[in-house]
Amino acid sequence: MAATADDTDIGHLTKFKKKTGESTFTTLAEVVEFDPPETTRDAVEFTHMSSVDRWREYKPGLREPGEATLTYNLIPGEADDDTVAESFDTDVVEEWVIEYPNGATVALKGFFTSHKHATPIDDRMTGAATFKVSGKPVVTPAV
């Protein structure tokens, strides 16, 4: 069995940042869970009357950049909640960056499609949001 690579890590210190200026970013400070987008690709059917042995045939179609979801510690109307709410209200595709603990990044453009709050009686309040990616994410490996 192969050993686990020394560079594997936990998600702690992963950051989700909004571009706010030419080279400035606002980091969502209290994210507790982040699921990066899952990229997928359509399968376009090209089966025809002469397809061998009645097997369906496919070719790769368009790629889908997916959605990211995040959960953060909620301070209603402040901090991360305010950043998400402002972005949700802009109706603009914005630039964001996912930064991993090893320095690798994923630059993407998108917008929030949902934003909600949870206020349980016996646990921390949280905010949650879904972020729709628009176009191709740009991955920069760690150096």
Side-chain angles (χ1 to χ4, degrees):
M1 175 184 279
T4 300
D6 290 338
D7 291 339
T8 57
D9 206 346
I10 61 174
H12 182 254
L13 298 179
T14 298
K15 298 174 184 167
F16 189 54
K17 302 177 171 187
K18 177 184 176 182
K19 187 170 185 178
T20 54
E22 187 62 35
S23 59
T24 58
F25 293 84
T26 297
T27 301
L28 295 183
E30 295 213 24
V31 174
V32 296
E33 185 173 346
F34 180 73
D35 292 318
E38 174 186 7
T39 54
T40 60
R41 180 191 305 220
D42 293 335
V44 180
E45 185 174 354
F46 283 84
T47 306
H48 49 88
M49 298 295 188
S50 301
S51 290
V52 177
D53 292 333
R54 297 172 61 161
W55 282 96
R56 293 187 185 275
E57 298 180 58
Y58 296 90
K59 291 185 181 180
L62 296 176
R63 292 173 184 88
E64 166 62 44
E67 295 179 330
T69 58
L70 59 108
T71 305
Y72 57 89
N73 288 330
L74 176 63
I75 304 170
E78 295 183 28
D80 295 347
D81 192 52
D82 186 47
T83 300
V84 172
E86 282 181 4
S87 289
F88 187 85
D89 287 342
T90 65
D91 297 330
V92 173
V93 175
E94 298 175 302
E95 295 181 49
W96 293 75
V97 172
I98 301 166
E99 184 179 289
Y100 291 100
N102 69 350
T105 61
V106 179
L108 36 83
K109 295 179 182 178
F111 54 94
F112 287 102
T113 58
S114 71
H115 183 208
K116 67 179 184 175
H117 294 162
T119 55
I121 194 169
D122 61 348
D123 203 356
R124 67 179 166 200
M125 294 190 301
T126 58
T130 300
F131 182 84
K132 179 65 179 169
V133 180
S134 178
K136 181 181 181 179
V138 178
V139 178
T140 304
V143 212

